[in-house]
Amino acid sequence: MCIFCQIVEGSIPSEKVYEDDNLLAILDIAQTTKGHTLVLPKKHSNNFLEMDEKEYMNLMNKVQVLSKRIIKNLNAKGCNILINTNKEAGQTVMHSHVHIIPRYDENDSINISFKENKYDLNEILEKINED
Ligand code: 5GP
Ligand code: ZN
């Protein structure tokens, strides 16, 4: 059983931010910034690509509600919403989850940088739209 399934089951303890029949939100053990939260479906799927539409919409809806609450009550200025999908993208726990990372200023302890590359945009568009 994966580590988040064990948290859902209660055999591994967690700090619960929110819980209902389908979802659980917990404080991330790493606390990259104060209030770093993970929102996850109780039903196991490896990543968000595997979730059905209804499940996914319900999850993201709660991510927005919790983001607003976390920002307001922790006095944050914004947040990053992150879904790492597969190990190449940094996913370490193979159970679907969304990170809510509250942001306090531009120099707090998360640094997301977008490097630039030159690709042929038309070629990429064609590929994306292939059946
Ligand atoms: P990923 O890299 O898969 O997107 O994120 C997994 C997250 O789960 C990491 O930020 C890590 O700190 C967190 N995590 C791993 N194990 C535990 C645990 O046992 N409890 C909690 N609360 N968080 C965990
Ligand atoms: Zn699981």
Side-chain angles (χ1 to χ4, degrees):
M1 193 187 284
C2 90
I3 193 163
F4 285 176
C5 281
Q6 291 176 68
I7 285 176
V8 167
E9 193 193 67
S11 52
I12 293 180
S14 65
E15 282 67 41
K16 292 180 185 172
V17 173
Y18 173 82
E19 183 171 22
D20 66 24
D21 288 348
N22 303 307
L23 298 175
L24 180 64
I26 58 172
L27 290 181
D28 193 298
I29 205 159
Q31 287 300 288
T32 299
T33 61
K34 193 176 67 185
H36 180 179
T37 296
L38 302 171
V39 192
L40 48 116
K42 288 187 168 177
K43 192 175 115 196
H44 181 91
S45 51
N46 288 322
N47 63 54
F48 93 103
L49 300 174
E50 287 187 4
M51 296 177 72
D52 70 39
E53 191 182 337
K54 201 166 150 231
E55 225 186 342
Y56 176 73
M57 296 305 281
N58 186 42
L59 173 71
M60 291 312 286
N61 200 15
K62 191 54 71 181
V63 167
Q64 190 195 39
V65 169
L66 291 174
S67 297
K68 288 180 187 172
R69 185 186 304 167
I70 289 166
I71 289 169
K72 183 164 168 266
N73 290 357
L74 293 183
N75 250 326
K77 300 286 180 281
C79 66
N80 291 102
I81 302 301
L82 190 62
I83 307 179
N84 297 328
T85 303
N86 289 333
K87 73 174 170 39
E88 292 79 0
Q91 187 179 0
T92 57
V93 177
M94 298 301 151
H95 180 124
S96 301
H97 58 279
V98 181
H99 294 256
I100 301 174
I101 306 172
R103 298 300 301 271
Y104 298 90
D105 65 65
E106 287 155 47
N107 302 312
D108 53 22
S109 42
I110 176 169
N111 178 13
I112 299 174
S113 76
F114 293 92
K115 293 183 185 134
E116 281 190 37
N117 285 298
K118 298 277 176 235
Y119 289 113
D120 182 336
L121 299 187
N122 287 322
E123 196 183 308
I124 296 170
L125 268 190
E126 271 174 33
K127 278 251 180 268
I128 288 175
N129 291 313
E130 270 173 15
D131 285 324

